Amino acid sequence: MKNLLFFACLLLPLGMHAQQEEQRINDLLSKMTLEEKIGQMNQLSYDRSGDLDAGIRSGQIGSLLNIVDPAEVNRLQAIAVKESRLGIPLIIGRDVIHGFKTIFPIPIGQAAAFNPGIVEEGAAIAAAEARSMGVHWTFAPMLDISRDPRWGRLAEGLGEDPYLASVLGSAMVRGFQGKNLSDNTSIAACIKHFVAYGAAEGGRDYNSTNIPPYLMRNVYLPPFKAAVEAGAATLMTSFNDNDGIPASGNTFLLRNVLRDEWKFDGFVVSDWASITEMIAHGFCADPKEAAMKATNAGVDMEMVSRSYIRNLPALIKEGKVSVQTVDEAVRNILRIKFRLGLFDHPYVDVAKPSVLYAEAHLKAAQKAAEESVVLLKNTGVLPLNNTVKTIALIGPMADAPHDQLGTWVFDGEKARTITPLAALQQQYGQQVKINYEKGVAYSRDNNTSGIAAAVKAAQSADVVVAVVGEEAILSGEAHSLAAWELKGAQKQLIAELKKTGKPLVIIVIAGRPLAIQHELDAADAMLYSFHPGTMGGPALAGILFGKVAPSGKLPMTFPKEMGQIPMYYNHNNTGRPFRGNETMIDDIPLEAAQTSLGNSSYYLDAGAAPLFPFGFGLSYSTFDYTNLRLDKTTLKQGETLTATVTLKNTGSYEATEVAQLYIRDLVGSIARPVKELKGFKRVALKAGESAEVSFTLHTDDLAFYGIDMKEVAEPGAFKLWIGGDSNTKLETGFTLE
Ligand code: GLC
C-alpha cells in the first residue's frame, strides 16, 4: 500500500503537470484564428530581406531557421511576442549536428568511440553554446542506419548497427535536451530522417529506398523508437520515397507507428522543401495536393516550401483537411514551445558571459576526438618514442583547419581548429624536429609537383607521418561517391613515400570508410580518424606519442571493394553461406567445370570478408578474452541472463578496450542475422590487469518483429559471443524457453 501511495505521490504531480500543460495549450488554441494556427505550421529560413517582420507580426510565421545572431533573434522575437495578436514566440532552429562553435568529431566518428557518455556530453556542450546564441532547436541526431560507404551522409549518422545507433542516438537526445528543455542550456532535439533515408539505392543521396516491413521494423525504425522513448521533442521526415511513398506523405509511419504505437507527443517537421518535392516524386500534382497529403499524413510544420500557408485555408474550406487535423498539429508545436519555456523566457540573455569555446568544451572535444580514432594497423612503429628525432609530416590533411571539422559545420570556425601540424609543433616541437610538406595541396589535387619535396623530407626523417583523406565537402548531404579510394594524387604520394623505406604512419581523416587496401599494405601503422573536429590535432598528436592509447572501434564495416557493397556484419546467413575455403579467381584451374567451385555466397575476385569488420579496432596494448560463462543456460520469458568474461590487458600499455556482446537467434519465424550487437562496454585496464566484464540481457533484448509482425522474443537456441569486434570467436549459448 505504502509503495502505491509513494508512486501516486510521484506520478500525481507529473500527471497534473501534463494536464496543466495541455490546458495551457488548449486555452491558447481556443483563441487562435485559423490563419494564426496555420502560421504556426510555417517555418521559413532567415534572410535579411526584412519581409519576415511583417509575417511574424501577422502570425503567419511560427519558426525560423538559420539565424544565429542573438540580437536579431531578440528583435524578431519581440515582434512575435509584443506585436503579434497573441504573442506566440518563435522557435528558432539550426543544424547543430556535432557542435556549435566547439566542433566535435562528426557523428560517425563519435560512434567509433562506442561511448554514450562522450556523445551526451558533446550534445550538451553544443546545446549550451547554441542556446546562448538564440537557437532553441537543432536538427539532430541523425539516426539513419547506413550500410553503404557511397552515401555521403553516413558522416552525420551513427553507423550500420541499430543497437549502437539506438544507444548513442538516445544519449545525444538527452545531451541536447538536458534535464529540462526550458533550461537556457537545453535545445530541442530533432530525430531524423524518418525513415530509412540511409538505404538510398546505390548510395545516391535522395534516391528511393525499398525497405520491406520486417527490415523496417528490425533495423531502420529501432533507433527512432529508442530516441522517442528518450524524450525526443521533434522528428524530421526524410527526402526519400520508400517503395513509392515519400516520407512526408507516409501516414502509416507518421500516424500509425509514430503516434499510435510510440505515443510520440512532440512535433513533426518536414525536411527542407520535402513537402513540395512530393511533386517531383510524382506523388502529388501540385503544392496544394502536397500540402493536403503532408498535413493529413501528420507533418505538423513545413520547412520553407510555403505550401501550408498558401493552401491550407482553401483545403480546409473544401473539407480536404479538417480543422481537427490542424488543431492537432498546432497543439504539438505549442507543446514544445511551452516545454522550451519560450512563453516565459522568449529572449536570449545577451549579457550572459560567453560559453563559446569554453576550456571545458575544448577539453571534451579533444577527449571525444581521442576516443574516436581507430587504430587499424601497427607493426610496432607506434607509439613514437624518444628515438624519433625528426618527423616528416606530409599530406593535404595535416594542416587543413577547415576540412578537419568535417561536414555540417555552419558555425564552427577554422581559425579555432588545432591541426595535427599545429599540435605536433606546440606539444612536441621541443623534442622532435617536424619537417612539414603537403605533398599534395588538397585531397582532390592531381598536381604532383609537391611530391618530390615530400619525398625529400621523408628521406631525412626517422619516421614519416602521412595525413591523407577527404576534404569536408566530399561527404555530407548530396555528396555521394561512386569511387571511394583516396582522391587526387594522394595514392601516388603514399606510394612515393613508401619507396623511401622509412617507417610510414598513415593517418586517414575522412567522412566515410574509404578503400584503403593499398595504403594499408604500404603502412607500418594506420590510424583512421573520421573528421575529428576542432581538437583533432591534439588528439592525434597525443595518440602518436602514446599519451593516450587509441580505443576507437569501427561503427561501420570497411569493405575491401566497392563491388562488395552493401556489406555489413548483421546480415542473414542465406541458404548457402560463405564457408571460407572457397576457390578464389586466381586459383581457378583452366576449363574448370561449371559446378567445380561449389555454390556459396561470395565474390570470386573479392571473397566475402570485408577489409575490416564492424567493431574492429586495435590498441597499443593487446587484450585477451577468456572464461566466457553465463549465469544460466536456460532462460524463461521475462528473465535476465548475465554473461561474464575475463578480460586481460596482455600488453605493456594502459589502454581501454570496447568489449562487445553479440547474439544470434539460430531459428526464427523469419531468418535472423548471423550476429547482433546487444551490448558494449569501454573497459580501461593497466598493463597486465584483468577484469571480469559482465553484460545482462533481458528477454526483451532478444525480441524482434517476426512473421506475425509482432515484437516477440521467440523460444529457441541462441549463440552468444563477447569479444573485441564482430568477428569474435569466443562463443557460448543458451536456450530461451
Ligand atoms: C537539409 C537536410 C536536413 C537539415 C535541413 C535544414 O536539407 O536534409 O538534415 O536539417 O535541410 O538545414
Side-chain angles (χ1 to χ4, degrees):
M1 190 54 188
K2 250 192 311 188
N3 278 349
L4 214 57
L5 206 61
F6 168 74
F7 280 112
C9 297
L10 201 69
L11 294 175
L12 201 61
L14 290 177
M16 278 170 59
H17 173 74
Q19 221 171 3
Q20 284 165 352
E21 183 178 75
E22 289 310 301
Q23 195 54 54
R24 274 185 88 177
I25 294 166
N26 288 327
D27 287 351
L28 179 51
L29 196 67
S30 64
K31 298 178 188 127
M32 294 171 76
T33 65
L34 181 61
E35 286 66 29
E36 286 165 339
K37 291 174 182 177
I38 295 168
Q40 288 300 305
M41 301 167 74
N42 181 34
Q43 177 190 59
L44 296 184
S45 187
Y46 176 72
D47 62 38
R48 298 187 187 286
S49 66
D51 300 346
L52 298 174
D53 294 21
I56 294 167
R57 192 171 293 113
S58 63
Q60 303 283 295
I61 301 171
S63 173
L64 292 174
L65 75 156
N66 294 337
I67 168 175
V68 285
D69 168 355
E72 180 65 350
V73 167
N74 282 345
R75 186 187 72 78
L76 295 167
Q77 196 68 293
I79 296 173
V81 170
K82 294 178 183 157
E83 298 177 31
S84 78
R85 195 176 70 85
L86 292 170
I88 300 172
L90 297 165
I91 179 171
I92 306 291
R94 181 69 162 176
D95 290 285
V96 184
I97 308 300
H98 52 106
F100 183 72
K101 288 289 183 183
T102 305
I103 302 300
F104 279 68
I106 54 174
I108 192 75
Q110 293 185 44
F114 279 70
N115 184 346
I118 210 89
V119 164
E120 183 168 343
E121 183 182 32
I125 286 167
E129 292 192 355
R131 189 89 188 237
S132 78
M133 298 297 280
V135 174
H136 308 127
W137 174 30
T138 179
F139 305 119
M142 193 184 105
L143 303 176
D144 302 311
I145 296 297
S146 172
R147 297 166 155 177
D148 191 332
R150 292 170 293 185
W151 190 54
R153 295 201 79 167
L154 71 85
E156 310 161 50
L158 296 164
E160 74 186 37
D161 181 73
Y163 177 80
L164 181 63
S166 298
V167 171
L168 300 182
S170 304
M172 221 175 246
V173 166
R174 288 193 299 273
F176 284 133
Q177 300 190 166
K179 294 272 174 291
N180 192 321
L181 260 189
S182 62
D183 291 346
N184 64 7
T185 53
S186 299
I187 55 177
C190 182
I191 54 180
K192 72 186 188 182
H193 304 81
F194 197 66
V195 71
Y197 178 44
E201 205 162 64
R204 198 159 59 249
D205 203 6
Y206 313 124
N207 202 7
S208 300
T209 61
N210 296 290
I211 302 300
Y214 293 126
L215 199 57
M216 186 65 87
R217 288 285 186 175
N218 291 321
V219 172
Y220 292 90
L221 285 173
F224 287 90
K225 185 178 180 191
V228 165
E229 288 164 357
T234 71
L235 173 143
M236 183 187 289
T237 55
S238 55
F239 287 122
N240 57 297
D241 69 283
N242 191 62
D243 199 12
I245 303 176
S248 300
N250 193 317
T251 307
F252 173 73
L253 286 173
L254 293 174
R255 291 199 183 282
N256 302 58
V257 176
L258 184 63
R259 300 289 181 184
D260 300 346
E261 283 184 44
W262 297 356
K263 310 297 179 212
F264 176 65
D265 71 350
F267 73 82
V268 174
V269 64
S270 75
D271 201 338
W272 187 283
S274 65
I275 290 176
T276 48
E277 285 175 6
M278 293 199 285
I279 300 163
H281 274 286
F283 186 73
C284 299
D286 53 36
K288 186 174 179 182
E289 187 180 18
M292 179 188 75
K293 287 193 173 182
T295 309
N296 289 335
V299 181
D300 302 316
M301 184 184 284
E302 176 177 27
M303 185 182 283
V304 308
S305 48
R306 300 174 195 243
S307 72
Y308 280 13
I309 199 79
R310 289 172 177 157
N311 296 286
L312 277 178
L315 286 165
I316 290 161
K317 207 172 285 163
E318 294 160 20
K320 292 175 181 166
V321 172
S322 72
V323 174
Q324 289 69 22
T325 301
V326 167
D327 283 356
E328 203 42 50
V330 176
R331 269 198 198 90
N332 294 332
I333 294 165
L334 294 178
R335 188 171 301 117
I336 300 307
K337 289 189 173 183
F338 275 117
R339 286 182 184 168
L340 277 164
L342 297 179
F343 287 87
D344 307 323
H345 308 288
Y347 304 111
V348 194
D349 175 1
V350 291
K352 191 167 156 261
S354 170
V355 295
L356 306 181
Y357 298 118
E359 198 45 44
H361 297 181
L362 296 170
K363 274 199 171 53
Q366 178 169 335
K367 187 164 181 289
E370 285 165 356
E371 294 191 6
S372 70
V373 176
V374 184
L375 178 63
L376 297 177
K377 179 179 180 182
N378 185 21
T379 57
V381 66
L382 290 181
L384 303 178
N385 58 35
N386 53 20
T387 61
V388 171
K389 297 303 177 206
T390 305
I391 293 176
L393 181 67
I394 309 292
M397 296 299 286
D399 191 38
H402 167 82
D403 292 308
Q404 178 174 313
L405 297 179
T407 187
W408 280 104
V409 170
F410 283 148
D411 304 297
E413 294 157 299
K414 73 175 199 177
R416 297 301 299 260
T417 304
I418 304 180
T419 65
L421 172 64
L424 286 167
Q425 286 169 335
Q426 285 162 15
Q427 294 171 25
Y428 298 93
Q430 305 310 315
Q431 72 190 60
V432 178
K433 188 168 174 358
I434 294 160
N435 294 330
Y436 166 57
E437 291 290 345
K438 271 188 179 288
V440 174
Y442 53 94
S443 69
R444 289 165 295 140
D445 187 11
N446 288 303
N447 180 338
T448 57
S449 61
I451 292 181
V455 168
K456 192 163 180 299
Q459 284 162 341
S460 59
D462 298 316
V463 69
V464 180
V465 177
V467 191
V468 294
E470 284 186 316
E471 292 154 84
I473 195 66
L474 298 182
S475 59
E477 182 171 352
H479 302 159
S480 301
L481 288 176
W484 50 317
E485 297 179 323
L486 287 172
K487 296 296 182 192
Q490 296 183 97
K491 293 171 71 68
Q492 188 179 335
L493 172 65
I494 295 287
E496 294 304 319
L497 293 172
K498 178 65 183 171
K499 284 178 194 164
T500 67
K502 295 288 184 177
L504 176 58
V505 176
I506 296 178
I507 299 176
V508 181
I509 295 183
R512 68 175 83 229
L514 291 173
I516 46 169
Q517 178 77 67
H518 298 300
E519 291 68 37
L520 190 72
D521 295 343
D524 295 292
M526 181 177 277
L527 293 165
Y528 212 90
S529 171
F530 298 97
H531 291 119
T534 305
M535 300 301 284
L540 287 164
I543 286 173
L544 283 172
F545 279 91
K547 208 157 75 174
V548 59
S551 60
K553 298 283 186 178
L554 296 178
M556 268 188 87
T557 300
F558 273 47
K560 282 193 200 107
E561 311 274 347
M562 175 70 96
Q564 291 181 309
I565 289 173
M567 179 163 256
Y568 46 95
Y569 87 95
N570 45 357
H571 59 80
N572 293 349
N573 199 35
T574 77
R576 297 186 173 182
F578 178 58
R579 298 183 308 275
N581 60 1
E582 279 78 355
T583 306
M584 298 301 288
I585 191 162
D586 294 340
D587 305 326
I588 299 173
L590 294 175
E591 299 178 7
Q594 172 61 29
T595 57
S596 62
L597 302 183
N599 299 323
S600 62
S601 179
Y602 78 114
Y603 301 93
L604 292 176
D605 53 356
L611 182 62
F612 293 109
F614 172 85
F616 179 85
L618 301 174
S619 174
Y620 290 156
S621 219
T622 47
F623 293 95
D624 200 23
Y625 290 80
T626 54
N627 192 19
L628 172 59
R629 67 267 190 204
L630 305 177
D631 66 342
K632 58 176 76 83
T633 52
T634 305
L635 203 51
K636 292 185 176 56
Q637 292 292 350
E639 280 189 343
T640 59
L641 166 142
T642 299
T644 305
V645 72
T646 304
L647 176 62
K648 180 171 186 177
N649 177 339
T650 49
S652 47
Y653 282 93
E654 178 169 354
T656 296
E657 166 72 340
V658 179
Q660 301 151 49
L661 178 136
Y662 296 89
I663 63 156
R664 178 181 179 183
D665 187 345
L666 292 175
V667 178
S669 59
I670 60 172
R672 303 299 300 132
V674 295
K675 272 201 177 97
E676 292 177 86
L677 181 71
K678 291 294 179 184
F680 59 86
K681 276 182 184 167
R682 290 178 62 88
V683 185
L685 292 172
K686 290 184 173 45
E689 186 185 3
S690 286
E692 297 306 303
V693 182
S694 290
F695 295 89
T696 298
L697 281 178
H698 185 278
T699 49
D700 289 350
D701 299 319
L702 309 176
F704 65 96
Y705 284 83
I707 196 76
D708 300 332
M709 200 49 89
K710 290 191 173 39
E711 193 174 20
V712 175
E714 297 180 358
F718 286 77
K719 285 187 177 177
L720 182 146
W721 298 263
I722 296 179
D725 66 49
S726 57
N727 260 354
T728 175
K729 303 292 181 259
L730 185 61
E731 172 188 319
T732 183
F734 63 92
T735 301
L736 174 61
E737 286 184 347

